[in-house]
Each structure stands twice: as C-alpha cells, then as structure tokens.
Amino acid sequence: MAAAKKRPFLGGEDMDGKKVKGDLRGGKPHIAALILARGGSKGIPLKNIKMLAGVPLIGWVLRAAVDSELFGSIWVSTDHEKIEKVARAWGAQVHRRSPEVSRDSSSSLETIQEFVRLNPGVDIICNIQATSPCLHPHHLKQALAKITEEGFESVFSVVRRHHFRWKEVKKGEGSSTLALNLNPNRRLRRQDWDGELCENGSFYITSRDLIEKGILQGGKVAYFEMGAEYSVDIDVDIDWPVAEQRVLRYGYFGKDKPEVVRLLLCNLSGCLTDGQIYVSAEGLEMVSLNTRDSMGICMLQKEGVEVIVISSIDNPIPKVMVEKLSKQIGCEIRHNVEDKLSEVDKLRKERELVWKEVAYMGNDEPDVQCLNLSGLSAVPQDATLVSRNAAKYACHSAAGRGALREFAEHILLLKKKAKSQMEQDRIPRD
C-alpha cells in the first residue's frame, strides 16, 4: 500500500461537545473507527441504542473499539439526538450526517464518503457495524495488522459456513432449482470440504484512497475470519433474544475480568415488589411477591452470594408485613433505612468487600450513588430515567414481575464466565 499522505485532521467534538483537533500521531496514518447508526431503522425503532443484555447495542462495539487502543479517533455517524448522547457516553466523537445520506435509500458507502470528505486527515477507515455485539478488540487488532503490517488496502470480516445452496429457476408458471455449490449425486460430508466464506458484517477496513474512488472492498484485499460464535448480526426483533444469550456468553465485557459478586442489595419497594399496597374488602393490607424473584434469591444464595433487601424509611409497608416477607423470601430485610448509601457502605465494610464485589438493584433517584459505585447494578424495566442512566444493566422485566430473577441470572452467568476465565489463566504447576 502506498505511504499515507499527511493531511490536516479537521477533528470533531469530544464527549463534552468541545471541538477537538486530530492527531497525526508522529506521522503515522490516522486510523479512524466509524460506526454508522442511523435513527430511522425500519425493523427495530432506535435499534442501535436498544438495551442488549443491559448495554446499549452500540455500546458493545464502542467498548471493543476503545479498548483496542488502535484508533486515532472513534466516531459514530448518526442523524439522531438520542443516539448521539449514547455515543458520547461510550467515548465516541459524533459525526452528524447530512439529510442526503440519512435516507432509507442511502448506502453505507455514501455515508462513509461524506465522513471522509469532511475529515481529510483520516487515512484508514474501520467501518464497524453497530449490530455486531460479539466483536472483541483482538479481532480488530489482527485484522488491522493486515493493512498496517502486511500491506493490504482493504480487509473485511467473514465467517465460514457449510451450507449447501440452490438457485431458484423460474419457468412459466412453475419453478425448478439448480445446485450452486454441490453435486447432489456426491454430497460431501462437512469434514470433507472447507465450506464457504460469507461476510458477517462486523467490520470493513479500507484505505481512504479506495473510499474516495467509491470502493469499499478492493485493491489488494484480504479477509479476516471470525468464529461462528462471534458472528452475530441483529436485523429484526426475532434476533434479539438469541443475540442476548450469545453476547452474554461470547461478548466482550471490558479489560477487567467479570466481577465476582459476593453481596447483592435490592430495594424492597419498586424492585422486589411492584411498589403497590393492596387493601382487601376487610381492610387487610397486602403486597405482591413474584415466585420467580424469590427463586432468584435462592439461586444466588446457593452460589454463595448473600442477598439483603433494603426497605427505606419512607416505605409505607408495615413492619409486621416486612417480617413476614423476610421469612417468605429467606433473606434479611433491613427496614427503615434512612440513608441507603451509608447503609450499603456499612454492610460492605463489615464483610470486608470492595465495591466491585457488591451488586445493587434500585429504581429511583436515592439509589443513584449506590448504582454508580457498585461493581454490578441494575434497575427494573419500569424504573425512573435517572436511575436507568446510572445502572449498568437494565432489566426487561418490571418490578415485582421477575426483574430480580433476571438480574440474578445475569450475576450468575458473569460469575461462571469469571470462573472459566480464571481457569484459563491458571498456570499449571510442575
């Protein structure tokens, strides 16, 4: 590949909205990561910032891009204010695309060309797809090395498939078919053929010169093969539950090892219960408790996670009812807690835990500090906006409708992931 020309980088805006100037990094080519995130998705409205396993969809690829430490700048190209806010929160600069490249008919190449035209200091563009949440930093490092070290001009990600394909042949009223990649009389076993390389859409890395010529894949071109477990692409709503299970198992959770939670603290009203008190015709007061949530508590306790429920001082649930609930769910309930942060910090210190070993589930403004400090934090689906913004995991289930069970499963899955990672890191002794 020809040596990159030095061009002035116009820059953009940082997380605080301030203008920033590009860095040619000592004459090295400026490599920019670019994630396209249009707001007008037809399949899933605002798909790019919809929560996937507790993280905005676009957050998964932004975290991988930031932690790769490969890029002179990381950008999200969008036409939507909400996507812009999420992008900045996850460490990206924002390119507000023009209406001309924000239409349903606009191609990715047109949008990238606009970005390149407005940022003449960028030499290599890594277009990362927002809908590929199982991307890891090592994928980007290995693929980019093909350009920076091996001289390729474009690289794109693929997955190997072993699918037999047929072509539909229409004739008059009927139709027939022709084999495309097999001989039906001699069908090969999976292990007897190499399969085919299919684009998985995770990323496309291309030189500036090719983009300016209207070429996304060309010149001296190479592919980067990703495993099938990492090749997740979300197009429609039906893909979402499958992607959530895949990302929890194969997604990238950051540089640190997954937190091993030893203590979970949870609000009584608004988390464990739906926050309502029911009164019978005879005047008896009742609250609703979901058996899935009580089972979630039991699951955590079996895995060595202590669970304590917190009832604030302004909670209208009578003390006698709180005591009955404590026996029902099989864990301690701290009643009439005036200052949640002080109480949580006290419990943490008594058990000699660091904040990373504490999980917290809240639902309103008084919980924000605890949600921010805890290693893992969550809110029910119907929590207030201020608490949702502070939490690291947003549940699909509402308060009193299985939210605690959902968070418990998330904690245990990360615990299992951490255990597996520790086993992999363990050095065998002679």
Side-chain angles (χ1 to χ4, degrees):
M1 190 174 84
K5 300 176 183 178
K6 291 186 178 181
R7 303 181 181 91
F9 177 44
L10 295 183
E13 297 178 352
D14 63 12
M15 293 172 62
D16 299 319
K18 297 178 181 178
K19 297 292 181 181
V20 294
K21 191 176 181 180
D23 178 15
L24 290 173
R25 303 196 300 170
K28 294 180 180 179
H30 186 104
I31 306 171
L34 178 64
I35 296 95
L36 308 183
R38 192 169 66 92
S41 172
K42 296 299 182 183
I44 309 173
L46 288 179
K47 171 178 62 177
N48 295 305
I49 56 173
K50 182 179 177 181
M51 287 293 184
L52 178 75
V55 173
L57 178 59
I58 198 172
W60 290 100
V61 295
L62 282 174
R63 178 158 54 194
V66 170
D67 285 0
S68 72
E69 300 180 346
L70 295 169
F71 304 107
S73 56
I74 298 174
W75 299 79
V76 169
S77 171
T78 188
D79 59 344
H80 201 283
E81 183 179 353
K82 288 184 178 180
I83 297 177
E84 178 177 346
K85 289 180 179 179
V86 173
R88 294 191 191 283
W90 282 84
Q93 298 177 49
V94 174
H95 164 238
R96 286 306 293 259
R97 62 173 69 179
S98 67
E100 288 73 25
V101 296
S102 300
R103 297 186 287 259
D104 291 342
S105 58
S106 300
S107 69
S108 296
L109 179 59
E110 290 172 331
T111 310
I112 297 171
Q113 284 180 312
E114 179 186 73
F115 170 80
V116 165
R117 187 172 65 253
L118 295 175
N119 291 274
V122 174
D123 300 294
I124 298 171
I125 301 91
C126 180
N127 173 217
I128 302 173
Q129 186 164 273
T131 54
S132 299
C134 287
L135 180 70
H136 283 241
H138 69 83
H139 295 139
L140 297 170
K141 289 178 182 178
Q142 294 173 46
L144 191 58
K146 290 181 178 292
I147 286 183
T148 59
E149 298 175 15
E150 299 178 36
F152 288 96
E153 294 175 87
S154 62
V155 179
F156 60 97
S157 58
V158 301
V159 61
R160 194 173 297 272
R161 303 291 190 194
H162 291 77
H163 295 164
F164 290 135
R165 295 183 295 109
W166 294 74
K167 179 182 179 180
E168 182 182 18
V169 180
K170 295 183 178 181
K171 295 180 179 179
E173 296 297 326
S175 62
S176 60
T177 186
L178 291 174
L180 284 179
N181 67 344
L182 76 153
N183 180 347
N185 298 320
R186 294 182 60 190
R187 293 175 63 92
L188 295 174
R189 298 178 303 167
R190 179 186 177 92
Q191 59 267 37
D192 292 334
W193 72 306
D194 293 333
E196 296 181 323
L197 299 178
C198 305
E199 292 185 20
N200 69 356
S202 286
F203 57 81
Y204 300 84
I205 309 175
T206 313
S207 70
R208 176 190 189 88
D209 293 336
L210 286 175
I211 293 295
E212 289 178 334
K213 294 174 183 177
I215 302 170
L216 187 62
Q217 298 154 287
K220 187 179 179 183
V221 61
Y223 68 86
F224 177 78
E225 184 175 344
M226 293 174 63
E229 64 271 25
Y230 302 111
S231 299
V232 178
D233 186 20
I234 303 173
D235 285 325
V236 293
D237 237 342
I238 196 170
D239 298 333
W240 212 266
V242 176
E244 284 205 318
Q245 293 303 311
R246 187 79 69 85
V247 79
L248 285 171
R249 185 169 182 182
Y250 298 110
Y252 174 69
F253 286 82
K255 291 181 178 179
D256 296 330
K257 293 179 180 179
E259 291 83 358
V260 177
V261 171
R262 305 188 188 282
L263 172 65
L264 168 65
L265 300 138
C266 174
N267 275 356
L268 173 59
S269 183
C271 288
L272 182 60
T273 74
D274 59 9
Q276 300 186 71
I277 295 180
Y278 305 90
V279 182
S280 69
E282 292 77 20
L284 296 174
E285 293 181 322
M286 297 173 287
V287 294
S288 174
L289 181 66
N290 195 297
T291 55
R292 286 183 295 164
D293 291 325
S294 57
M295 180 57 69
I297 293 173
C298 183
M299 290 164 58
L300 288 170
Q301 291 171 332
K302 286 182 178 179
E303 292 297 323
V305 179
E306 183 182 3
V307 181
I308 297 177
V309 176
I310 296 176
S311 176
S312 60
I313 196 168
D314 56 353
N315 195 325
I317 300 177
K319 182 178 180 181
V320 62
M321 191 180 297
V322 170
E323 291 173 350
K324 290 181 179 179
L325 279 172
S326 180
K327 293 180 181 179
Q328 183 73 28
I329 61 178
C331 76
E332 179 185 358
I333 298 181
R334 292 286 178 106
H335 193 45
N336 287 334
V337 174
E338 184 173 358
D339 186 335
K340 290 183 179 178
L341 179 59
S342 297
E343 184 70 17
V344 171
D345 200 33
K346 175 186 173 184
L347 291 167
R348 178 186 68 82
K349 290 175 179 177
E350 287 175 352
R351 288 151 179 79
E352 299 181 346
L353 302 176
V354 295
W355 278 106
K356 287 182 68 173
E357 297 173 302
V358 177
Y360 187 89
M361 188 171 201
N363 66 296
D364 213 333
E365 193 276 333
D367 303 303
V368 168
Q369 287 181 293
C370 294
L371 291 167
N372 280 324
L373 288 169
S374 299
L376 285 175
S377 57
V379 292
Q381 183 271 333
D382 53 349
T384 60
L385 181 60
V386 66
S387 63
R388 288 177 65 87
N389 289 337
K392 299 176 179 68
Y393 185 92
C395 295
H396 294 289
S397 305
R401 298 291 185 271
L404 180 55
R405 169 64 178 269
E406 182 182 336
F407 189 38
E409 290 178 344
H410 182 67
I411 291 171
L412 294 176
L413 192 141
L414 292 183
K415 185 180 178 76
K416 182 179 179 182
K417 189 179 182 76
K419 182 179 179 181
S420 174
Q421 190 166 331
M422 284 189 287
E423 289 174 350
Q424 292 174 9
D425 294 342
R426 187 177 295 134
I427 301 174
R429 295 183 181 179
D430 296 333

